């Protein structure tokens, strides 16, 4: 970064004074400050922040071992020794919730990372080369992808390939890797369609024509001109999609096709609690469900705030699932 | 003419999807022969099994053979159970379709009025309340909601059976009430999402010049409301149609919780048995439903909006 404050010549001083005024989107810190300025954004930031903190610091928190089967303490109600009670196998629910947050958040964030990079790549490329074969091939491919009901395909594909780990060169990847890749791929068409529409408009703009006259190559125009300009309306969707990724992961884990036991996961904990649906141990099924609810509502609030801050004219979208 | 083109492109997409699905079920790490014959089978037995069922041929050859037999013998037989896949689907599909249909009606009954009320009271308390509730609704995982609903309405209050489906033979009312909890478990998410969409669509129409003109001309409130709803519906319809298709995915999860004998049982059983032809058929049927519901939504949208018809 340019150190504008210490520069002495007039031009830099003018630049410095301009830099001190709030700019529309001045990096991540500025965005966070503007999000925190809205009420829903603040609540969303607090929820997502606390959950991420808990997930990241899980190994250093004074928690019970989430895998420890304390059969003598099975189904203990919430209390002093077990904050949120224990499950049917005598495992501490609070510890399992905190450790479960790691998988949920990681899968949510990584699926969207894949969807976002794929969507931006396809969208920018097809928007820039509009009217050519590149556009029709890419959009046709996206139409096929978009005709896929996401959840059923995720269930079926994990079902076909099994829930075991995958050997990838020297790496032994757990089932989570499969889910991240799958759901990430299935996120691409929706994001690509939005990115395509935006890139199409940008590619026709005068400044792109000017850049072309300057002799800029297609790749350089796409990456340094079009991409930065279409980023914020796309970015609005990121938070909501992370929430959807979390729900999909929890659903898959719930039916036994997601995170594999004994690794703690919120969906898996609810699957264990199913057998207790009729008994009085209300806490076993309550906490993991609340955890999913809290995480998803946090990302949804953040998504609403992002829309207000970055793209106020755009109206609410429909369900993505 | 437009519709014919749309049907052709839908069929092309379905064909492409079936190729992807076919390839996926053939790229499995474990040969179906190994699953059926067990770990003790000799290499010759495996070879004979694969040869009998054409599994040793190239992928394109296998695909064209599969397509060729579709009109004659449908999806054929499962390797594992030996049962006809068509029969299996004929038993389970109606359950899921009925559940999704009830879910869809519940969704419309909730989302349309709530969206309208929110739009008409924009930025006043009913709007704030509805928006807050809809935000919560889209954040509740359906299978957790299902567990809560079972506990409250079936176990504690005893109003409805906790699991299973009451056959139609025992009366309409009993049959319908046994579907309410699973349908509600799926619908809540869509009521939240679609009421937000309805609200946004109505607010957009309310801001149009022709609505202001109609109001200033002193047209009755009822007449203005009719204009507004008629013009707000097209964007709503297309998303509602897509939601109808998505609901099949959630039905797979929710049917498991309520132990309903629908596609969920067929698919999940096929997955545990590694019954690839059955998985393939189930997913293809759900995908076809999804494509058809999008097609129907497009058609309705066009009928509602004359401008699209002449485009």
């Amino acid at each position: 970064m340019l150190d504008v404050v210490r520069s002495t010549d007039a031009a830099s001083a003018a630049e410095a004074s301009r830099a001190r005024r709030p700019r529309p989107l001045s990096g991540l810190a500025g965005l966070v400050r503007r999000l925190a300025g809205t009420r829903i954004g603040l609540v969303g930031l607090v929820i997502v922040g606390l959950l991420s903190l808990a997930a990241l610091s899980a190994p250093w928190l004074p928690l019970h071992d989430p895998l420890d089967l304390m059969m003598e303490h099975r189904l203990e109600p919430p209390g002093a020794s077990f904050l949120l009670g224990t499950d049917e196998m005598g495992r501490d629910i609070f510890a399992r919730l905190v450790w479960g947050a790691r998988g949920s958040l990681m899968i949510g964030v990584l699926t969207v990372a894949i969807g976002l990079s794929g969507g931006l790549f396809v969208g920018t490329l097809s928007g820039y080369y509009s009217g050519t074969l590149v556009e029709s091939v890419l959009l046709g491919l996206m139409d096929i992808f978009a005709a896929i009901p996401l959840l059923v395909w995720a269930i079926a594909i994990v079902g076909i390939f099994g829930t075991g780990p995958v050997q990838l060169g020297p790496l032994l990847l757990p089932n989570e890797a499969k889910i991240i890749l799958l759901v990430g791929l299935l996120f691409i068409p929706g994001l690509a369609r939005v990115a395509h529409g935006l890139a199409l408009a940008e590619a026709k703009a005068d400044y792109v024509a000017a850049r072309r006259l300057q002799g800029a190559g297609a790749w350089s125009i796409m990456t340094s001109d079009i991409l930065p300009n279409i980023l914020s309306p796309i970015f609005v969707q990121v938070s909501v999609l992370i929430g959807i990724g979390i729900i999909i992961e929890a659903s898959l884990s719930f039916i036994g096709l997601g995170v594999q036991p004994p690794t703690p996961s919120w969906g898996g904990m609810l699957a264990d609690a199913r057998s207790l649906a009729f008994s009085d141990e209300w806490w076993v099924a309550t906490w993991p469900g609340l955890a999913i609810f809290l995480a998803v509502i946090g990302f949804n609030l953040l998504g609403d705030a992002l829309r207000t801050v970055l793209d106020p004219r755009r109206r609410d979208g429909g369900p993505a699932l | 003419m437009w519709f014919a083109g749309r049907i052709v492109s839908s069929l092309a997409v379905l064909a492409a999807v079936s190729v992807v699905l076919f390839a996926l079920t053939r790229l499995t790490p474990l040969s179906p022969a190994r699953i059926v014959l067990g770990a003790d089978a000799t290499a010759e037995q495996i070879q004979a099994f694969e040869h009998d069922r054409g599994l040793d041929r190239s992928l394109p050859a296998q695909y064209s053979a599969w397509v060729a037999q579709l009109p004659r013998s449908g999806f054929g037989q499962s390797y594992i159970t030996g049962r006809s896949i068509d029969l299996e689907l004929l038993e389970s599909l109606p359950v899921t379709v009925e559940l999704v249909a009830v879910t869809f009606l519940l969704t419309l009954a909730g989302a349309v009025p709530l969206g309208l009320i929110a739009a008409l009271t924009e930025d006043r308390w009913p709007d704030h309340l509805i928006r807050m509730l809809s935000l919560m609704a889209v954040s509740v995982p359906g299978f957790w909601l299902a567990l809560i609903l079972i506990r409250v309405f079936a176990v504690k209050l005893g109003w409805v059976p906790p699991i299973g489906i009451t056959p139609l033979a025992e009366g309409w009312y009993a049959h319908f009430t046994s579907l309410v909890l699973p349908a509600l478990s799926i619908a809540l998410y869509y009521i939240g999402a679609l009421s937000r969409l309805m609200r946004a669509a109505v607010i957009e129409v309310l801001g149009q010049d022709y609505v202001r003109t109609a109001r200033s001309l002193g047209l009755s409130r009822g007449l203005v409301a009719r204009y507004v709803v008629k013009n707000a519906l097209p964007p709503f319809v297309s998303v509602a149609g897509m939601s109808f298709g998505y609901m099949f995915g959630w039905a797979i999860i929710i049917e498991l919780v309520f132990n309903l004998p629908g596609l969920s049982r067929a698919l999940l059983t096929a997955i545990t048995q590694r019954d690839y032809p059955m998985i393939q058929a189930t997913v293809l049927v759900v995908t076809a439903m999804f494509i058809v519901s999008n097609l129907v939504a497009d058609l309705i949208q066009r009928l509602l909006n004359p401008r699209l018809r002449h485009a």
Side-chain angles (χ1 to χ4, degrees), chain A residues 153 279 285 300 304 315 321, chain B residues 144 151 190 196 204 250 287:
Chain A
W153 276 63
S279 55
N300 279 338
D304 268 15
R315 67 163 178 229
L321 196 69
Chain B
W144 183 52
R151 176 176 282 273
Y190 292 99
R196 285 169 69 125
E204 199 172 295
W250 286 115
T287 309

Side-chain angles (χ1 to χ4, degrees), chain A residues 91-157:
Chain A
R91 293 173 294 198
D92 179 46
I93 291 181
F94 185 65
R96 291 178 68 73
L97 280 187
V98 174
W99 280 89
R102 289 166 81 88
S104 280
L105 294 184
M106 185 190 72
I107 292 177
V109 170
L110 290 182
T111 48
V112 175
I114 293 180
L116 197 62
S117 21
L120 282 175
F121 180 77
V122 172
T124 311
L125 207 61
S126 60
Y128 184 80
Y129 288 111
S130 68
T132 68
L133 192 65
V134 178
E135 186 194 34
S136 33
V137 168
L138 284 177
L139 290 188
L141 211 60
M142 288 300 113
D143 275 349
I144 296 173
F145 255 92
I148 289 175
L150 206 145
L151 198 53
V152 181
W153 276 63
I155 292 171
I157 294 178

Side-chain angles (χ1 to χ4, degrees), chain A residues 76 79 89 103 148 153 181 245 263 273 320:
Chain A
E76 269 191 30
M89 314 241 248
I148 289 175
W153 276 63
L181 187 66
T263 307

Side-chain angles (χ1 to χ4, degrees), chain A:
Chain A
M1 262 280 231
L2 204 69
D3 192 358
V4 282
V5 183
R6 245 188 297 159
S7 320
T8 44
D9 64 283
S12 297
E15 202 173 298
S17 77
R18 225 179 303 131
R20 247 177 260 121
R21 263 180 284 141
R23 274 177 294 163
L25 178 65
S26 48
L28 198 61
L31 181 63
V32 169
R33 202 171 310 139
R34 287 172 66 199
L35 284 175
T38 64
R39 208 177 346 156
I40 51 171
L42 187 63
V43 178
L45 276 175
V46 168
I47 295 176
V48 170
L50 283 179
L51 279 172
S52 316
L53 197 69
L56 287 172
S57 55
W60 300 281
L61 292 176
L63 297 167
H64 288 280
D65 180 351
L67 303 180
D68 192 8
L69 309 171
M70 298 169 280
M71 288 310 268
E72 69 278 14
H73 291 298
R74 60 191 296 266
L75 291 175
E76 269 191 30
S81 44
F82 302 102
L83 197 57
L84 301 180
T86 59
D87 67 6
E88 239 184 337
M89 314 241 248
R91 293 173 294 198
D92 179 46
I93 291 181
F94 185 65
R96 291 178 68 73
L97 280 187
V98 174
W99 280 89
R102 289 166 81 88
S104 280
L105 294 184
M106 185 190 72
I107 292 177
V109 170
L110 290 182
T111 48
V112 175
I114 293 180
L116 197 62
S117 21
L120 282 175
F121 180 77
V122 172
T124 311
L125 207 61
S126 60
Y128 184 80
Y129 288 111
S130 68
T132 68
L133 192 65
V134 178
E135 186 194 34
S136 33
V137 168
L138 284 177
L139 290 188
L141 211 60
M142 288 300 113
D143 275 349
I144 296 173
F145 255 92
I148 289 175
L150 206 145
L151 198 53
V152 181
W153 276 63
I155 292 171
I157 294 178
V158 177
I160 288 170
F161 289 97
T163 51
V166 209
Q167 186 80 49
L168 196 78
L171 289 170
L172 192 67
L173 297 170
N175 193 38
E176 283 91 319
K178 244 175 286 169
I179 294 173
I180 291 169
L181 187 66
L182 251 175
V183 180
L185 282 176
L186 296 178
F187 274 159
I188 291 178
L191 288 167
R193 207 175 279 175
V194 181
H196 169 256
L198 294 164
L200 199 64
E202 294 294 328
K204 290 194 182 114
D206 290 338
Y207 76 93
V208 169
R211 288 274 289 145
R212 234 180 251 131
L213 287 176
Q214 284 174 0
W219 185 251
S220 141
I221 293 177
M222 273 188 272
T223 52
S224 56
D225 297 302
I226 295 180
L227 200 57
N229 279 318
I230 65 171
L231 217 48
S232 58
I234 302 277
F235 202 65
V236 167
Q237 312 214 356
V238 163
S239 197
V240 174
L241 285 180
I242 293 178
I244 289 174
I246 289 175
I247 289 199
I248 295 177
E249 179 271 321
S251 308
L252 286 174
S253 301
F254 180 70
I255 60 173
L257 295 173
V259 177
Q260 294 299 299
T263 307
S265 70
W266 296 341
M269 291 172 76
L270 280 173
D272 293 340
R274 253 184 80 198
S275 55
L276 297 171
F278 303 100
S279 55
D280 290 325
E281 286 87 7
W282 55 270
W283 59 90
V284 186
T286 302
W287 304 126
L290 268 181
I292 303 172
F293 176 61
L294 198 67
V296 177
I297 210 168
F299 282 107
N300 279 338
L301 285 169
L302 211 53
D304 268 15
L306 273 172
R307 190 198 314 277
T308 319
V309 169
L310 291 179
D311 197 13
R313 275 167 312 162
R314 204 175 175 80
R315 67 163 178 229
D316 289 351
L321 196 69

Side-chain angles (χ1 to χ4, degrees), chain B:
Chain B
M1 189 54 226
W2 163 84
F3 197 56
R6 194 65 178 70
I7 288 179
V8 170
S9 73
S10 293
L11 284 175
V13 167
L14 189 61
V17 166
S18 79
V19 172
V20 175
L21 197 56
F22 191 87
L24 280 174
T25 52
R26 297 303 187 275
L27 290 172
T28 52
L30 214 56
S31 153
R34 182 61 74 190
I35 298 161
V36 176
L37 302 173
D40 300 332
T42 62
E44 289 80 50
Q45 283 173 310
I46 299 256
Q47 239 171 24
F49 182 95
E50 290 187 339
H51 186 74
D52 283 350
R53 285 159 184 78
L55 293 173
D56 53 351
R57 292 155 70 194
S58 73
L59 211 57
Q62 284 190 47
Y63 180 77
S64 52
W66 178 76
V67 171
Q69 67 137 31
L70 266 181
R72 267 184 292 117
S73 47
F75 289 116
Q77 284 176 335
S78 153
Y79 299 139
I80 311 287
T81 58
R83 288 197 58 193
S84 153
I85 293 176
D86 298 335
L87 275 181
E88 200 108 19
L89 286 176
L90 275 177
E91 280 170 19
S92 52
L93 186 63
V95 177
T96 304
V97 170
E98 194 188 358
L99 173 62
V100 169
V102 173
T103 305
F104 191 66
L105 291 179
L106 266 179
T107 302
L108 292 186
V112 173
L114 284 176
L116 264 176
I117 294 170
L120 295 175
T121 59
E122 193 186 353
D123 277 331
R124 277 178 284 144
W125 71 264
D127 180 32
H128 289 304
L129 183 70
I130 290 171
R131 282 168 74 188
M132 201 181 71
L133 290 177
S134 66
L135 190 73
M136 290 169 77
V138 296
S139 309
V140 178
F143 53 95
W144 183 52
L145 180 66
L147 292 176
I148 296 176
L149 290 176
I150 290 178
R151 176 176 282 273
V152 174
F153 291 101
V155 180
K156 292 267 188 271
L157 297 172
W159 290 357
V160 284
I163 55 166
I165 189 167
T166 312
L168 196 54
E170 288 177 34
W172 276 101
Y173 183 74
H175 177 67
F176 181 72
T177 47
S178 69
L179 278 173
V180 167
L181 292 193
L184 197 61
S185 307
I186 307 174
L188 190 71
Y189 173 84
Y190 292 99
I191 292 177
L194 290 180
S195 66
R196 285 169 69 125
L197 187 82
M198 185 72 190
R199 171 185 179 274
V202 171
I203 286 177
E204 199 172 295
V205 175
L206 284 175
Q208 301 288 326
D209 290 342
Y210 58 81
V211 173
R212 219 177 31 206
T213 310
R215 275 178 168 165
S216 61
L217 280 174
L219 293 189
S220 72
R221 271 165 171 259
L223 203 56
V224 176
R226 258 183 55 196
Y227 281 140
V228 171
V229 171
K230 205 181 158 196
N231 284 288
L233 272 181
F236 180 81
V237 164
S238 98
V239 180
M242 196 177 270
S243 304
F244 184 82
Y246 282 135
M247 285 173 187
F248 282 86
W250 286 115
I252 304 279
I253 313 251
I254 298 300
E255 280 177 14
L256 175 77
V257 183
F258 288 93
N259 202 15
L260 302 184
L263 282 181
S264 166
R265 190 178 288 173
L267 179 61
L268 296 179
T269 313
I271 286 175
T272 43
Q273 293 178 333
R274 299 191 159 260
D275 190 346
Y276 298 133
M278 185 70 205
I279 299 178
Q280 185 190 343
T282 319
V283 176
L284 197 60
V285 166
V286 174
T287 309
M289 296 293 225
F290 184 68
I291 292 175
V292 169
S293 59
N294 282 337
L295 187 66
V296 171
D298 274 7
L299 183 66
I300 297 176
Q301 192 179 13
R302 255 180 129 73
L303 293 177
L304 288 174
N305 190 346
R307 267 174 306 184
L308 281 178
R309 247 178 288 161
H310 302 299

